[in-house]
Amino acid sequence: MRETDAQRKAHALEDESRELGWRDPKAAARTWREWCPEWLRGFYAEDSSDSTTESLIRVHIMPKWGDVRLIDIDRHEIKAWAKEMQVEAGIAATSAKRVINAFSSSLTAAVDVGILSHNPCAKLNLGIPDNPSERTYTQKEQHRLFSELPSVLDQALVAILLGTGCRLGEALALEARHFNVQHSTVRFRQTWDSHNRKLKTYTKGKKRRTVPIDNWLLDLIKPLLKARPEGYLFRSRGGVPLDVANWRKRVWNKCSDEIGLNSAGKERGSIHTLRHTYATEQLEAGLSLAEIADLLGHSSITTTERYAHRRSKVGKKALGTIRDPRRAPKPKKRQKPRETRELPSNVIAFPGGR
């Protein structure tokens, strides 16, 4: 389809969506601010693991579209908005796309319930790749981060995220009973929903998995296992898991800014970057994509998954790839130039030696 034809069709669909009401004549005349709570009720019921959505709404979506009627949301304005976020607000292209995706989800929901006939965000070409390269932390950055963490509890939490590649909600739901010190493994079987402040007895994708852990991580976690044999390991005084927003502001952001992880000219890192770092280092260590997917909980449940925590090939390979971040990386040694000596005239020199 030619570009002009595609634009004509998109505009026709927009005109159609302006016809007030499929079911309720006044429904499409509501502002996005009025529609947002209704959308979120259904959205979080399906995917409450998206803890960043609330922030995206507050910082980016609500100021732009809060007072705009649903039928007045324009496709061209959305594309211009995406560029504004990158140029004027200075956020990364991938972050802009996350904002657009969240906004698009709200409009798709409006289509599903018959408020709009078409999502103006649908098939919106923003020129941003779907799978950009992910930011990872170098060994030097990992060491500097650990040096700034204020407490042993904070170090243990970051160590779990870095050393197992788990999601933050999975780490916050961990209890002592999920660790097998003898076999050096940890079992992820539940997650903490920080948005609704409740425990889910399953992980994202409903996949339970066992991940091997290195000795340096065991050293960090053992005192915590001994001190808290019951209940959540990473908990506040009230016994519930740490407040994510508070911990991010009080510990993570402060430490990251202190050591320059989010400095100008460098792609901004996040707590989730620890998971990307784990996956990248496993890949560089020689694990296959299928094996890494198994460790991260990306693949579907298989019949043999229940035996993964015993003696799996994945488990053996995975150990040793993440180094102890408490230790500073050793500086690379300069290689001394090799001494050469003149060979007798009757000796033939072969490249590379014998």
Side-chain angles (χ1 to χ4, degrees):
M1 182 182 293
R2 294 182 303 174
E3 179 68 20
T4 54
D5 293 335
Q7 290 180 352
R8 191 179 298 112
K9 185 175 181 180
H11 288 311
L13 289 169
E14 282 187 20
D15 292 337
E16 183 182 349
S17 68
R18 290 174 184 272
E19 297 177 3
L20 287 182
W22 287 56
R23 298 175 183 173
D24 181 355
K26 298 180 180 179
R30 284 185 293 176
T31 63
W32 192 86
R33 188 188 307 275
E34 294 170 324
W35 163 244
C36 182
E38 186 175 339
W39 161 58
L40 286 179
R41 281 196 296 271
F43 176 80
Y44 282 115
E46 296 175 3
D47 187 9
S48 60
S49 63
D50 188 0
S51 60
T52 64
T53 301
E54 187 175 355
S55 175
L56 297 179
I57 293 171
R58 184 181 68 256
V59 176
H60 300 288
I61 303 177
M62 194 63 75
K64 176 68 177 180
W65 302 102
D67 298 323
V68 178
R69 299 190 308 171
L70 293 176
I71 56 169
D72 291 333
I73 294 175
D74 180 78
R75 187 179 182 84
H76 177 73
E77 281 295 317
I78 296 172
K79 295 188 73 170
W81 175 47
K83 291 184 178 180
E84 287 173 7
M85 284 190 286
Q86 297 174 64
V87 177
E88 296 179 11
I91 70 173
T94 51
S95 298
K97 188 167 186 177
R98 279 194 288 270
V99 177
I100 297 295
N101 287 342
F103 186 53
S104 179
S105 176
S106 72
L107 299 180
T108 297
V111 174
D112 290 342
V113 298
I115 295 175
L116 294 177
S117 64
H118 177 67
N119 178 1
C121 279
K123 298 180 180 180
L124 196 65
N125 183 13
L126 299 175
I128 303 173
D130 290 327
N131 297 305
S133 58
E134 296 287 356
R135 164 88 155 92
T136 60
Y137 293 132
T138 65
Q139 290 180 12
K140 185 177 180 180
E141 288 175 329
Q142 294 169 32
H143 173 67
R144 293 181 64 194
L145 177 62
F146 265 74
S147 300
E148 288 294 327
L149 292 171
S151 71
V152 175
L153 183 68
D154 296 321
Q155 287 189 343
L157 177 55
V158 173
I160 285 290
L161 296 169
L162 177 65
T164 67
C166 69
R167 303 173 181 90
L168 180 58
E170 294 170 342
L172 294 177
L174 283 174
E175 302 175 35
R177 62 191 176 93
H178 297 141
F179 289 83
N180 188 324
V181 177
Q182 183 179 357
H183 292 93
S184 300
T185 60
V186 58
R187 182 75 166 163
F188 295 106
R189 56 186 302 171
Q190 57 191 30
T191 189
W192 176 253
D193 180 352
S194 59
H195 178 78
N196 293 310
R197 303 292 294 171
K198 69 178 183 180
L199 179 70
K200 289 185 175 180
T201 56
Y202 52 85
T203 61
K204 187 174 182 179
K206 308 235 178 357
K207 178 181 174 62
R208 296 181 177 183
R209 66 191 188 281
T210 299
V211 177
I213 49 182
D214 281 301
N215 290 331
W216 67 264
L217 179 51
L218 273 178
D219 291 340
L220 271 169
I221 207 70
K222 277 181 180 178
L224 194 58
L225 297 178
K226 185 176 181 180
R228 298 180 173 180
E230 301 291 337
Y232 301 115
L233 293 179
F234 306 104
R235 62 176 184 255
S236 60
R237 292 181 180 179
V240 297
L242 297 174
D243 181 86
V244 173
N246 180 275
W247 186 83
R248 182 183 284 110
K249 180 180 180 180
R250 177 179 54 84
V251 177
W252 179 264
N253 290 345
K254 184 177 179 181
C255 292
S256 298
D257 293 339
E258 192 72 26
I259 64 175
L261 286 183
N262 301 325
S263 59
K266 182 179 294 185
E267 185 181 348
R268 189 176 182 87
S270 66
I271 297 174
H272 205 68
T273 302
L274 296 168
R275 179 171 165 88
H276 296 317
T277 301
Y278 174 84
T280 300
E281 295 201 15
Q282 302 299 346
L283 187 64
E284 292 177 352
L287 271 71
S288 68
L289 292 176
E291 290 171 330
I292 295 173
D294 186 54
L295 290 169
L296 296 178
H298 284 166
S299 62
S300 60
I301 296 177
T302 63
T303 308
T304 58
E305 183 189 6
R306 70 187 68 179
Y307 308 110
H309 64 287
R310 296 185 181 180
R311 292 185 63 184
S312 70
K313 187 177 180 181
V314 174
K316 291 181 179 179
K317 284 185 180 180
L319 291 174
T321 56
I322 298 293
R323 300 184 184 182
D324 187 347
R326 295 171 297 177
R327 299 180 181 178
K330 295 180 180 179
K332 294 182 179 179
K333 294 182 179 180
R334 294 183 179 179
Q335 293 185 349
K336 296 181 179 180
R338 296 179 62 182
E339 296 182 3
T340 58
R341 59 188 178 87
E342 217 173 282
L343 295 175
S345 59
N346 62 337
V347 177
I348 301 175
F350 290 91
R354 291 185 177 181

